Amino acid sequence: MEWIWGLLGSLLIAGVAYWKGSLSLSGTLAAVLLGTTMFALGSFAWAGTLIAFFISSTLLSKFKHKRKARAESGYAKSGRRDAGQVAANGGIGLLLCLGHAWLPHPAWWAIFVGVMATVNADTWATEIGGLSKTEPRSIVSGKRVSAGTSGGVTGFGLLASLLGGLFIGLAGWLCSQMGQLETGISFLPLLLLAALSGLLGSLIDSWLGATLQVMFRCDVCGRTIEKQVHCEQRARQVRGMSGMTNDYVNAVSSLAGGLICLVLSCFVS
């Protein structure tokens, strides 16, 4: 029955997201597979936390979309998530859920919370930080950069990142209670762990975005962007590692956030 309920729930949520334009067809199929498997093997604790991330990030992506349109025009991916983005944001969480199903241990949950806190914190920082009235500063040099530049941070965005991690801590605690999962971490420590690991993980994401992520320059408008085609012209690579796309950066930083959460949990549990 877990598979059936997981499939029905995933089809409903992913179907609505596809209808509203938040998921592409490949993203919809990936989300259904991810949600069904996670619910069947990990109960509502794992799947519910993933759903909380997805719903909150989807709603924020639609908030004042026109105001954020210029910054988003340089992103490699649009607000409509494809299978690559779904895998980057939830794939590691699924592997952790599988690990817990194979060999139950509280450490799996601690890493999972850090992973989901990081991807949510990064999403909130991007979506809410894009509304900041001040120009972001490079996390590497501290110099002002244009909105939408990888590695650019604002005070508004940092606050959003902290709140994004805190949200996952709250959602994770509620879902673990409903799913009757023994996590070994009480309410307040979980909130603290999620907030800190989410913030630090999102900062790692920004640093990777400013140093290793492949970036291109559009010869038409002169902007430095994440995607290879802009202004209907092929852009040229100006820095970063070839193949180190935004999806890979998200996956690496979320794993880092998960490990940070695991280490910090040793001091609060």
Side-chain angles (χ1 to χ4, degrees):
M1 288 300 296
E2 285 82 2
W3 288 98
I4 295 176
W5 287 117
L7 177 60
L8 292 176
S10 298
L11 283 172
L12 176 61
I13 295 173
V16 172
Y18 176 77
W19 177 51
K20 289 293 186 179
S22 298
L23 285 175
S24 67
L25 180 58
S26 68
T28 301
L29 296 175
V32 170
L33 178 62
L34 182 69
T36 301
T37 307
M38 190 170 286
F39 188 89
L41 297 179
S43 78
F44 186 72
W46 303 78
T49 305
L50 178 69
I51 291 171
F53 153 71
F54 176 73
I55 292 178
S56 72
S57 60
T58 298
L59 292 176
L60 281 178
S61 69
K62 301 299 182 183
F63 180 65
K64 293 189 176 181
H65 177 69
K66 291 184 178 179
R67 181 174 170 182
K68 298 179 289 185
R70 172 168 169 75
E72 291 175 347
S73 68
Y75 294 163
K77 302 291 181 71
S78 66
R80 191 165 197 175
R81 294 178 174 85
D82 58 17
Q85 288 170 290
V86 172
N89 290 325
I92 294 178
L94 176 59
L95 293 177
L96 293 168
C97 180
L98 291 172
H100 184 271
W102 171 61
L103 187 64
H105 193 280
W108 297 111
W109 176 253
I111 301 174
F112 175 75
V113 169
V115 166
M116 298 312 303
T118 296
V119 297
N120 199 60
D122 180 58
T123 301
W124 282 35
T126 300
E127 299 297 346
I128 299 178
L131 299 175
S132 176
K133 295 182 179 179
T134 60
E135 285 189 323
R137 291 183 179 274
S138 169
I139 193 172
V140 176
S141 66
K143 296 180 179 179
R144 293 195 180 278
V145 293
S146 59
T149 301
S150 292
V153 296
T154 63
F156 202 37
L158 291 175
L159 177 60
S161 180
L162 187 68
L163 293 176
L166 188 67
F167 174 80
I168 288 297
L170 177 60
W173 183 82
L174 289 172
C175 292
S176 66
Q177 297 299 303
M178 296 173 65
Q180 298 181 335
L181 176 68
E182 182 55 50
T183 65
I185 307 175
S186 55
F187 177 62
L188 290 179
L190 184 63
L191 295 185
L192 178 63
L193 289 173
L196 289 178
S197 60
L199 175 62
L200 294 175
S202 67
L203 288 174
I204 292 174
D205 184 279
S206 295
W207 183 83
L208 290 173
T211 55
L212 300 183
Q213 181 177 337
V214 61
M215 297 295 291
F216 304 90
R217 177 164 292 130
C218 176
D219 291 327
V220 177
C221 66
R223 292 184 61 191
T224 301
I225 51 178
E226 295 179 356
K227 53 188 179 181
Q228 202 165 3
V229 176
H230 196 256
C231 294
E232 300 182 354
Q233 298 288 333
R234 188 176 180 86
R236 53 190 173 87
Q237 182 177 340
V238 292
R239 66 171 172 84
M241 298 172 56
S242 296
M244 190 66 169
T245 63
N246 183 255
D247 286 342
Y248 283 110
V249 168
N250 288 342
V252 172
S253 61
S254 65
L255 179 58
L259 295 177
I260 289 172
C261 188
L262 176 63
V263 172
L264 293 177
S265 68
C266 297
F267 298 94
V268 300
S269 59

